[in-house]
Amino acid sequence: AQSVTQPDIHITVSEGASLELRCNYSYGATPYLFWYVQSPGQGLQLLLKYFSGDTLVQGIKGFEAEFKRSQSSFNLRKPSVHWSDAAEYFCAVGVGAGGTSYGKLTFGQGTILTVHP
Amino acid sequence: DVKVTQSSRYLVKRTGEKVFLECVQDMDHENMFWYRQDPGLGLRLIYFSYDVKMKEKGDIPEGYSVSREKKERFSLILESASTNQTSMYLCASRNPGPQETQYFGPGTRLLVL
């Protein structure tokens, strides 16, 4: 079965600093990988996703993520954090490549990002 | 824009009550999902539906059931609410296909006393 680990429960950065959120996955086949963000009291919003091709993917709000198969990682990065980026971030892996997968996602535990002014 | 709505943002129920959580999507999506979200555990899949009247158990279906009579509506039912079902419940929908995105509703925070 697939699994996702986000090793950092809580990260604090200063506004303007760079950010990297870690995500490690376990899955036997080619993974479909996602990063979602959840602002307080809100649902989840997709930041970016990876299916194939270029291993560096760009997302919304200035985020990017790099897929590294050799390390089973899909880390999220942002060069300069804004106070509005404070939220909880979830990494997820999608199951299967066929139509019967129904797109089930397995989520990591989440990383809470605090931004200091 | 895709819109997924959930009938309540906050609910307070008593132990033993039957609880209905409703989810509606407006994009004609075939697949719909119910998750629960708990601190430190991320999101865990309760049930999903790949078409009208079709459903499959997710990772934690015990104590829950679902209903999907119409394509746009997916209901989560707690037959007899218990305190360990106090949680945030999130609904999502998507089109079929492995590369399709799941779109989430705002969540329902349920407190069972």
Side-chain angles (χ1 to χ4, degrees), chain A residues 32 34 36 38 41-46 49 51-52 88 90 95-99 101-110, chain B residues 9 31 33 35 37 40-43 45 48 50 56-57 59 88 90 94 96-107:
Chain A
Y32 299 90
F34 304 79
Y36 283 86
Q38 184 181 36
Q42 303 296 316
L44 275 67
Q45 180 184 22
L46 181 71
K49 57 187 178 182
F51 297 117
S52 64
E88 189 163 15
F90 292 94
V95 174
S101 71
Y102 306 118
K104 289 188 288 184
L105 296 179
T106 296
F107 285 84
Q109 302 91 325
Chain B
R9 294 300 301 272
N31 306 155
F33 306 81
Y35 296 89
Q37 180 183 8
L41 297 178
L43 278 74
L45 182 64
F48 68 101
Y50 49 92
E56 282 200 19
K57 294 178 180 179
D59 299 318
M88 169 74 96
L90 291 163
R94 70 190 286 278
Q99 300 188 12
E100 294 293 328
T101 299
Q102 284 193 26
Y103 295 90
F104 284 82

Side-chain angles (χ1 to χ4, degrees), chain A residues 13-71:
Chain A
V13 300
S14 297
E15 192 169 16
S18 63
L19 172 70
E20 183 169 28
L21 302 182
R22 295 184 290 165
C23 172
N24 294 101
Y25 68 90
S26 173
Y27 185 57
T30 301
Y32 299 90
L33 296 161
F34 304 79
W35 274 101
Y36 283 86
V37 61
Q38 184 181 36
S39 298
Q42 303 296 316
L44 275 67
Q45 180 184 22
L46 181 71
L47 283 176
L48 47 79
K49 57 187 178 182
Y50 170 79
F51 297 117
S52 64
D54 193 347
T55 55
L56 185 64
V57 293
Q58 303 296 322
I60 62 172
K61 305 184 181 188
F63 285 92
E64 66 178 25
E66 186 171 12
F67 170 58
K68 292 186 178 180
R69 185 186 300 275
S70 61
Q71 298 177 18

